[in-house]
Amino acid sequence: MITNRQKIINIEARIKSAVYNMKYNSFQRNFSIIFLLISIVGLILIYDEFILVVLFYVVVCLAFLICFITQVFESYIYDGYLRSKKMCNENGEYPILIFSRQINRNQTELLFRNIGIPSHKWQEAKIGLSSSFHKEIVSIKSSNNNKHIHMILYNGFYDYGETIYWSDDYMIDGPNIVLGDKMGEKYYISLKDEPHILLGGRTGSGKSQALILQLYQCIKKGYQVYLADFKLGLDYNPYIQSHSKMLFNKAAVLSSLRTVRDEMLQRFTILANTPYNNIDDYNKHSEDKIQHIIFACDELASLTDLKSLDKDEKQMTYEIIRLLEEIAEKGRAVGVNLFLSLQRPDADVLPGRIKNNLGYRMAGKSDGTLSGIIIGTTEASKEIENFDVGVFYDNYGVKFKVYMLRDEDFKD
C-alpha cells in the first residue's frame, strides 16, 4: 500500500523529471534558448510599449509552462504503463521517468530512476512493456549500480520477417564487423574488444547466413580466412570459397590450425619488440600491416565430438581441441579470431576453455535450454519466433536481423 508520503514523493519526483527532461532534451533546450533570444530581441523592439511588453512576457511564460506541463504529463503516462505491468518494488513504488529524448526519427531514449527492481525483472517484462508502450524496446540496461534503467525504444513495431539486403556502404573501417540491423540502424562489434564469436541456434535459424555476412566483410578487409566445413562448402558461394582456405576434413583442419598457431606465436615475438600490445595499435604506426586471421567453423561438433571415434581419430581431435583452446586464450592481442558456429554448444562439443573465451555470443531460434547454453539466459527462446530466420539475440540483450547477401553483392 502506497502511503500519502510516498504519493507526495512521487509527485515531487515527476516535477524533477520534468526539470531533468527540459535540461537534457536537446530539442527542448535549444527551443528554450532560441525562444529566450527572441524574447530579448522582442523586448528591445517594443521596450516603450508597456502593454506589449506585458503580453510578450505572458506568452513566454505560457510557452515554458506548457513545455513543463507536457513533461509532467509524459511522466504520468509512462507511470501508467509501468503500473499496468506491475513494475514496482516490494513496497509498491514505481520507477520515475527522469528524461526522454528523440535520438533519431526511429528511436527514443528513456531514462528511469529505478527503485530497487532487479534488472532481470526488467528483461523479463520487455515484451509486455513493448506492448504497453506501443513501441518495440530495442534494449534495456541498468546503470549506476541498478539505480537507473536506460531504455531505447523503436517508434513503432519492427518487422523481423522482412528481408533486409546488404550493401557495401554498411561496411565500417577498422576491425569492426557488422552483424545486422538493429531497429533501423547498423549493429556491429569490434574484433579488438570481442575477438571470438559463438553462433548458436537450431537448424534453419540462419547461422550460415550470419557467418557468410561476417566472413564476406573479413574478406573485403583483406583478412586471411580459414573455413572448416565438412559439407564441402555447399552453403557457401564461389566467392567465399575462392577467397578462403576451405577445409573439408580433420586432417586439413589440424594442419591449418598448426599454421595459425605458429603465426600467432610469431606475432607475439613481433609485438614484443615494439611499444604496442595489440596489432590494431601496431598497424596505426607501422607500414608493414598485420592483418587479422579468421578461423571459422560451420559446425564445431564435426571437429570436437569424440563419440564413435577410433584411437587415431580421437588423438587428432584432442589436438584440434587443444589448438582451439590455445588460440581462444591468446589470439586476441595478435588478431587471431575464432568464428564458431554450432547447433548445441554443450560441454560434449564445446569444451569450457574454449567457450569461456568466446566473449561474444549470438543465439538464433532455440528453446529455453539451448538459449541458456548459448547466451546464459532464456531470452532468445522468448524473443525469437519459430518462423524467424536470420534473427538473433546476443549476450548483451540485443535483438537484431542479419543482412542478406545476394549473388550480385559478392564482388571484389
Side-chain angles (χ1 to χ4, degrees):
M1 181 68 67
I2 300 178
T3 65
N4 289 333
R5 186 176 185 283
Q6 288 172 335
K7 290 180 180 179
I8 293 172
I9 291 173
N10 284 345
I11 292 172
E12 291 176 350
R14 290 187 182 89
I15 293 173
K16 289 180 180 178
S17 163
V19 174
Y20 280 126
N21 218 332
M22 293 182 69
K23 179 179 178 182
Y24 292 109
N25 191 311
S26 59
F27 172 78
Q28 293 173 354
R29 185 173 62 247
N30 294 338
F31 170 80
S32 300
I33 293 172
I34 293 171
F35 204 89
L36 183 60
L37 291 174
I38 292 175
S39 68
I40 293 173
V41 173
L43 179 61
I44 293 173
L45 295 176
I46 61 172
Y47 73 95
D48 58 342
E49 298 290 341
F50 176 75
I51 295 179
L52 290 178
V53 170
V54 172
L55 288 175
F56 196 87
Y57 272 100
V58 167
V59 171
V60 171
C61 291
L62 283 174
F64 278 101
L65 183 61
I66 290 171
C67 192
F68 185 79
I69 291 174
T70 299
Q71 298 310 317
V72 175
F73 181 68
E74 183 180 36
S75 179
Y76 271 103
I77 289 175
Y78 280 104
D79 178 75
Y81 292 154
L82 295 174
R83 288 176 185 274
S84 70
K85 298 302 176 183
K86 300 188 180 340
M87 286 297 296
C88 61
N89 62 15
E90 296 177 352
N91 298 321
E93 298 171 308
Y94 288 83
I96 303 297
L97 178 68
I98 296 178
F99 79 84
S100 67
R101 71 182 181 94
Q102 198 79 11
I103 301 175
N104 52 47
R105 67 183 182 87
N106 291 323
Q107 296 185 335
T108 301
E109 177 185 16
L110 302 178
L111 181 67
F112 291 94
R113 189 182 74 178
N114 197 20
I115 311 183
I117 300 174
S119 58
H120 71 83
K121 186 175 179 180
W122 284 94
Q123 296 295 340
E124 292 168 358
K126 185 176 178 181
I127 296 175
L129 289 174
S130 291
S131 178
S132 293
F133 291 174
H134 304 292
K135 296 179 180 180
E136 191 91 25
I137 296 178
V138 179
S139 63
I140 301 178
K141 296 180 181 178
S142 63
S143 61
N144 195 16
N145 293 323
N146 203 37
K147 292 179 181 178
H148 293 139
I149 292 295
H150 185 265
M151 194 178 296
I152 303 295
L153 307 181
Y154 183 81
N155 300 327
F157 285 96
Y158 186 84
D159 184 6
Y160 285 99
E162 181 182 354
T163 300
I164 307 176
Y165 292 105
W166 170 260
S167 168
D168 282 355
D169 293 336
Y170 298 158
M171 292 272 291
I172 302 176
D173 292 338
N176 300 301
I177 301 298
V178 176
L179 300 173
D181 183 272
K182 183 188 73 172
M183 301 283 185
E185 64 178 21
K186 290 182 294 187
Y187 183 53
Y188 65 94
I189 60 170
S190 169
L191 294 181
K192 185 176 180 180
D193 302 320
E194 302 288 359
H196 309 305
I197 299 174
L198 172 64
L199 302 91
R202 295 202 305 252
T203 300
S205 59
K207 298 189 299 296
S208 294
Q209 177 186 341
L211 188 57
I212 288 171
L213 176 63
Q214 295 165 17
L215 295 181
Y216 173 77
Q217 294 173 75
C218 292
I219 291 169
K220 295 287 285 186
K221 290 174 180 287
Y223 297 170
Q224 188 176 353
V225 174
Y226 293 83
L227 176 56
D229 178 22
F230 290 2
K231 292 177 290 186
L232 305 181
L234 292 178
D235 292 332
Y236 299 90
N237 75 351
Y239 180 91
I240 296 291
Q241 294 195 44
S242 63
H243 290 78
S244 308
K245 184 174 179 56
M246 301 299 296
L247 312 171
F248 297 141
N249 55 64
K250 281 191 176 182
V253 169
L254 180 57
S255 175
S256 293
L257 282 175
R258 287 170 177 165
T259 300
V260 171
R261 188 272 314 273
D262 292 344
E263 172 63 21
M264 178 181 72
L265 297 178
Q266 178 62 28
R267 290 183 174 193
F268 277 110
T269 302
I270 294 173
L271 287 184
N273 296 315
T274 73
Y276 312 111
N277 59 11
N278 63 77
I279 67 162
D280 296 301
D281 290 339
Y282 173 86
N283 285 339
K284 292 177 183 177
H285 302 88
S286 174
E287 294 182 358
D288 299 323
K289 307 298 183 186
I290 300 177
Q291 293 297 353
H292 284 256
I293 296 175
I294 310 296
F295 179 85
C297 182
D298 185 82
E299 178 50 61
L300 187 65
S302 59
L303 286 183
T304 58
D305 194 352
L306 294 166
K307 296 174 184 175
S308 304
L309 300 181
D310 61 30
K311 182 178 179 180
D312 292 338
E313 289 174 326
K314 282 187 177 180
Q315 184 176 356
M316 182 181 296
T317 301
Y318 280 130
E319 185 173 359
I320 287 173
I321 292 173
R322 183 179 60 78
L323 288 168
L324 287 173
E325 289 174 341
E326 186 175 359
I327 292 170
E329 291 173 347
K330 299 178 181 179
R332 174 177 183 167
V334 291
V336 181
N337 311 105
L338 299 176
F339 293 5
L340 304 180
S341 172
L342 68 171
Q343 289 187 33
R344 192 176 186 86
D346 52 32
D348 292 335
V349 296
L350 184 61
R353 284 182 62 191
I354 299 176
K355 184 177 180 179
N356 293 340
N357 286 285
L358 301 177
Y360 183 79
R361 304 175 187 181
M362 48 189 283
K365 56 185 177 184
S366 32
D367 58 31
T369 302
L370 180 55
S371 174
I373 293 173
I374 301 169
I375 60 175
T377 73
T378 60
E379 293 305 307
S381 64
K382 301 173 184 177
E383 294 277 350
I384 302 174
E385 302 290 346
N386 287 329
F387 51 79
D388 284 335
V389 178
V391 179
F392 288 84
Y393 195 91
D394 68 14
N395 54 324
Y396 290 104
V398 176
K399 181 181 178 182
F400 60 93
K401 173 82 173 183
V402 172
Y403 293 109
M404 173 68 74
L405 280 154
R406 296 161 293 193
D407 289 341
E408 59 265 31
D409 294 323
F410 292 94
K411 54 184 180 296
D412 289 316

